[in-house]
Amino acid sequence: MRVADLKQNAEKTFSVRPDAAALSQIAGDLALSALRKVRFEGRLKPLGRTDWTLEAQLGATVVQPCVVTLDPVTTRIDTPVVRHFVQDFVLSDDPETEMPDDDTTESLGPWIDPAEVMKEALALAVPDYPRKDAAALGQMVYAEPGTAPMTDEDAKPFAGLANLKDQLIKPKE
């Protein structure tokens, strides 16, 4: 949407529903196995005399490999998205500058592209480590031939004391 064409006294609604080719491209960019049912609907509202607020709802179904088993994991994403486009917003180039607490504010350019906001919001909403419900990491046990393997439980600092305590408390048979 070209900012110069937006009416400063009215809201502008939008609906973004990427086609199959766009879904495939976004899935590749985000390293997803598949991306289905993406919908990004909302409105662009005036904020003061020169600024704009984008309020939208992102809905998507993503498929990713499980971090444990590599089996496909399907996740449904439904999240609200808010961005403030501010004309006088300046982000410092100084490396010692702290990040602002408000990460929804961006500099207002000549265009506001809801599709780009959708891609960014989707990238932030996708699970970092998808895992199937029944997936569990096994325990790796290594030992030299002829020696008893040491487990993680054996390596705990107080495991030996707990065993000693159990032996002292149990009545002798």
Side-chain angles (χ1 to χ4, degrees):
M1 292 182 226
R2 197 174 125 185
V3 174
D5 295 339
L6 296 173
K7 295 179 182 177
Q8 199 60 38
N9 60 356
E11 293 181 358
K12 173 78 172 168
T13 61
F14 61 86
S15 178
V16 178
R17 293 178 185 259
D19 61 13
L23 289 176
S24 179
Q25 176 67 41
I26 295 168
D29 292 346
L30 299 180
L32 302 172
S33 301
L35 180 59
R36 302 187 301 251
K37 299 180 186 176
V38 176
R39 132 189 92 61
F40 189 61
E41 297 175 340
R43 60 189 178 168
L44 199 56
K45 302 186 322 185
L47 180 66
R49 294 181 153 226
T50 58
D51 306 330
W52 294 89
T53 296
L54 181 144
E55 295 175 345
Q57 185 70 27
L58 171 65
T61 301
V62 298
V63 180
Q64 300 170 272
C66 173
V67 295
V68 177
T69 64
L70 298 180
D71 291 337
V73 176
T74 302
T75 306
R76 181 68 192 159
I77 296 172
D78 285 302
T79 186
V81 177
V82 176
R83 294 289 184 278
H84 304 286
F85 296 93
V86 179
Q87 186 175 27
D88 297 330
F89 182 75
V90 177
L91 190 59
S92 175
D93 291 338
D94 183 11
E96 295 296 319
T97 302
E98 290 187 29
M99 291 297 296
D101 289 334
D102 180 16
D103 61 355
T104 63
T105 303
E106 298 183 22
S107 179
L108 177 65
W111 295 88
I112 296 176
D113 187 354
E116 286 300 315
V117 176
M118 176 198 69
K119 290 177 198 174
E120 177 186 284
L122 183 60
L124 293 171
V126 168
D128 292 330
Y129 303 102
R131 182 182 233 174
K132 288 192 89 146
D133 291 336
L137 288 174
Q139 183 173 347
M140 300 295 283
V141 180
Y142 298 102
E144 292 181 16
T147 61
M150 184 174 181
T151 65
D152 289 340
E153 195 63 36
D154 295 335
K156 291 186 178 177
F158 295 105
L161 290 176
N163 289 338
L164 181 60
K165 178 183 173 188
D166 288 345
Q167 289 175 359
L168 293 174
I169 292 176
K170 286 184 183 176
K172 294 184 181 181
E173 295 179 12

